[in-house]
Amino acid sequence: MSKFKIFSIALLASAAVSQAQDLDQARKAIDAEQYEKAKSLLKSIIQTKSNGRASFLLGNIYLTQNIEDSAKISFDRGLSSEEGKINNIGLGQLELNSGNVAAAKSKFDAVTKDLKKKDVEEYIYIAKAYMNADKPDYKAAIEVLNKAKVANPTNAYIHLALGDAYYGEKNQNEAYSAYRSAYQSDSSLIRAKMQLGVLLKGAKAYRESIKAYDEVIAINKSYGPVYRELAETYYLWANNKPSTYTENIKKALDSYNEYMKLTDYSLTSRMRHADFLILARDYVALEAEANEMKKLDKVNPRILRYLGYSAYENGNTEAAITALNEFIAKGTKVIPGDYYYLGLALVKKSIGADGKTVDATMLKNGAAEIQKALNMEPVLANGLNEIGKKYFGQKLYDVSSAIFEAAISNPTSKNYLEDNVYYGLSVFTINRGKDAKTIDLVSLDKADKAMDNVITASPTYQEAYLYKARINSSLEKDEVMAATYQKYLDIVLPKGDEEIAKNKAKITESYNSIAAFYANTDKVKAKEFFSKTLALDPTNNYALESMKLLK
């Protein structure tokens, strides 16, 4: 053999070893969520020599970053490379995302049909494709992984993936067993140990979860994902125990900043950070992050979402409306929060500079956007209570009624009963004193039904009867009005002198209203109720004058 051939073979062998090492480093970077580092390594491998596995891993990163067009290009390119068949798994996940389950299975079968018995990596990636699809299929993932487990029962990566699949299925016990087996099989697989803490987080055992993460940090303080999990755990703890909110939100944000330092500051990472800042309600930091993203990519539409949310929360209503209208107009993936924030911004803008006048058309448009958001994600109604009460306190009853009307469209909202009360009060206050030509009978009827909702859920809540009676007075439904005032009295009077003294004005209002109802049909009954008023309040002018007329 000539020296040239010897050198060529040696160089090829050296290149193969180098590629294998770079692939291993890329896998480690992916596990550490250092995606830009991994992409750089994989692109370097592909530029040196077309490599099917490198193309597959690169495509998977693009899928993780929701860049499907780049993912498909990478998978297609990898198909024709050495060991390129594995790219069918990535193409299969794209089929799953499109809802083509049969086409996806066909691509997965093309990968597995000629595999050797001990080859399990492909099965693991197929399982991950099922789990990472837009509509995850954890059962299918578990079925695939159990096949791999038969072939190689001690493989740590199979157990790790099984843990993820069982976790996705909300099977805590099986997930725990799988993660524990993964870590016992390979103690260098630190993600498996971290996931044991994630299970504790899911069980709301926040202290124990953080203790588990601290054990991971003691092993490797540079492992970025554990700080992301810490951030999410502190965030959940803060929200589930309000007394800890300030302290734990700060720890959550500090942990996420540490995660960013240990991963990368790419646009994709910054977007993940921005999503977390929205959860943590740190809108000053969100605006700063959005402006940093603009420097990296001036045309990415998602940045407009972050600018819109933060602008609204930071008091720049006009900028919020501009950013969110532009974002929605671009036709990208619009989420309920986009309509929600646009609606809130329009509602806020509907209020004039004097803080009193309201642009009815703009208010209606804002309420419509909020309702659009609630139709998509009803849980957003939970946040409207505080906003509606703020406007109610400012005596902007048109605005508060619009907010509360949207809120009560979700009967499972945590503030549903209180929102019904405020809606009814807002509508009643708007219409109080109006003449028959200008009164809004439709809204008053809705307000009456809102009070019925409260009474049905809480029959002993005495104020609901009072509000319902007042609303029916405005509706000129006098018989319902009188009967409801009587129900109010039936609840409040048996509570004794202290309660009667506290509610003296409301009780006399009830007596007088019932008496007025009877005045034209039953003078004896009318006098009886006016007498009750005067027994409680001898100087009550309305009762005194009415008694004179009834003689």
Side-chain angles (χ1 to χ4, degrees), residues 178-196:
Y179 287 137
R180 184 182 59 188
S181 296
Y183 190 66
Q184 287 173 344
S185 296
D186 183 354
S187 60
S188 71
L189 196 55
I190 200 167
R191 180 173 288 271
K193 185 170 178 61
M194 181 185 79
Q195 290 300 120
L196 294 172

Side-chain angles (χ1 to χ4, degrees), residues 495-509:
K495 291 182 178 179
D497 292 344
E498 187 177 341
E499 189 72 13
I500 291 169
K502 191 166 61 177
N503 292 283
K504 177 181 171 182
K506 295 172 184 176
I507 293 169
T508 56
E509 173 192 331

Side-chain angles (χ1 to χ4, degrees), residues 191-206:
R191 180 173 288 271
K193 185 170 178 61
M194 181 185 79
Q195 290 300 120
L196 294 172
V198 173
L199 290 175
L200 290 166
K201 175 187 73 176
K204 297 184 180 181
Y206 301 123

Side-chain angles (χ1 to χ4, degrees), residues 4 50-51 65 67 74 88 135 146 190 195 208 302 400 451 460 464 475-476 481 506:
F4 177 77
S50 185
N51 184 296
Q65 296 178 330
I67 312 173
S74 188
N88 278 307
K135 291 182 178 179
N146 280 331
I190 200 167
Q195 290 300 120
E208 293 79 3
R302 204 163 130 194
S400 63
M451 290 308 167
T460 59
L475 285 166
E476 297 185 359
M481 177 266 300
K506 295 172 184 176

Side-chain angles (χ1 to χ4, degrees), residues 374 378-390 392 400-427 446-447 449-451 453-454 461 467:
L374 266 57
V379 73
L380 287 171
N382 291 340
L384 293 174
N385 179 267
E386 186 178 338
I387 296 166
K389 286 197 288 189
K390 179 183 175 184
F392 187 90
S400 63
S401 68
I403 294 292
F404 286 119
E405 184 174 12
I408 63 175
S409 68
N410 175 17
T412 62
S413 166
K414 67 179 183 180
N415 306 302
Y416 181 65
L417 294 183
E418 188 178 37
D419 290 343
N420 273 278
V421 171
Y422 272 102
Y423 173 68
L425 284 173
S426 297
V427 171
K446 289 180 183 175
K449 288 181 171 63
M451 290 308 167
N453 291 335
V454 179
Y461 179 52
Y467 303 147

Side-chain angles (χ1 to χ4, degrees), residues 67-325:
I67 312 173
E68 288 199 354
D69 52 351
S70 295
K72 188 174 189 312
I73 290 168
S74 188
F75 294 139
D76 285 338
R77 184 187 294 132
L79 269 180
S80 58
S81 309
E82 185 181 344
E83 295 188 270
K85 195 164 59 171
I86 195 171
N87 286 275
N88 278 307
I89 298 174
L91 293 169
Q93 185 177 330
L94 288 172
E95 295 286 5
L96 289 174
N97 289 348
S98 299
N100 301 323
V101 178
K105 189 173 186 310
S106 177
K107 291 190 180 297
F108 297 153
D109 289 344
V111 177
T112 59
K113 66 178 181 179
D114 296 322
L115 284 179
K116 295 175 183 176
K117 185 178 179 182
K118 289 289 184 180
D119 290 342
V120 295
E121 185 180 24
E122 286 79 1
Y123 286 109
I124 293 170
Y125 279 119
I126 290 169
K128 286 182 177 181
Y130 278 119
M131 288 188 275
N132 295 333
D134 289 346
K135 291 182 178 179
D137 186 344
Y138 298 108
K139 281 186 170 59
I142 292 167
E143 186 179 329
V144 170
L145 290 166
N146 280 331
K147 287 180 184 177
K149 191 177 173 183
V150 170
N152 195 336
T154 61
N155 185 290
Y157 290 93
I158 294 172
H159 289 287
L160 176 61
L162 271 170
D164 292 339
Y166 284 123
Y167 181 67
E169 266 208 325
K170 296 181 171 55
N171 188 334
Q172 295 278 99
N173 291 336
E174 290 293 344
Y176 179 84
S177 177
Y179 287 137
R180 184 182 59 188
S181 296
Y183 190 66
Q184 287 173 344
S185 296
D186 183 354
S187 60
S188 71
L189 196 55
I190 200 167
R191 180 173 288 271
K193 185 170 178 61
M194 181 185 79
Q195 290 300 120
L196 294 172
V198 173
L199 290 175
L200 290 166
K201 175 187 73 176
K204 297 184 180 181
Y206 301 123
R207 290 183 191 277
E208 293 79 3
S209 177
I210 289 165
K211 184 180 177 183
Y213 299 143
D214 286 341
E215 290 176 5
V216 173
I217 292 168
I219 297 168
N220 183 355
K221 65 180 181 181
S222 298
Y223 188 62
V226 72
Y227 295 97
R228 174 179 51 72
E229 293 294 349
L230 263 175
E232 292 175 8
T233 303
Y234 279 123
Y235 162 76
L236 290 170
W237 192 358
N239 280 278
N240 278 278
K241 193 171 182 181
S243 63
T244 72
Y245 187 84
T246 302
E247 178 188 356
N248 282 330
I249 279 295
K250 184 181 183 305
K251 288 179 180 179
L253 293 167
D254 288 345
S255 297
Y256 210 102
N257 286 333
E258 191 64 28
Y259 167 72
M260 293 291 288
K261 289 177 193 174
L262 290 167
T263 51
D264 57 53
Y265 286 91
S266 64
L267 182 65
T268 304
S269 294
R270 287 185 180 278
M271 284 181 174
R272 284 203 307 273
H273 186 210
D275 289 335
F276 186 77
L277 290 171
I278 291 169
L279 290 175
R281 291 178 274 178
D282 189 343
Y283 297 103
V284 173
L286 177 64
E287 190 165 17
E289 188 68 282
N291 284 315
E292 287 299 317
M293 285 190 269
K294 271 182 77 175
K295 294 175 186 177
L296 293 173
D297 187 345
K298 291 181 180 178
V299 298
N300 192 299
R302 204 163 130 194
I303 296 168
L304 292 166
R305 169 184 292 155
Y306 303 129
L307 287 171
Y309 289 17
S310 58
Y312 170 78
E313 294 287 355
N314 295 331
N316 194 343
T317 307
E318 197 66 55
I321 293 169
T322 300
L324 289 168
N325 272 328

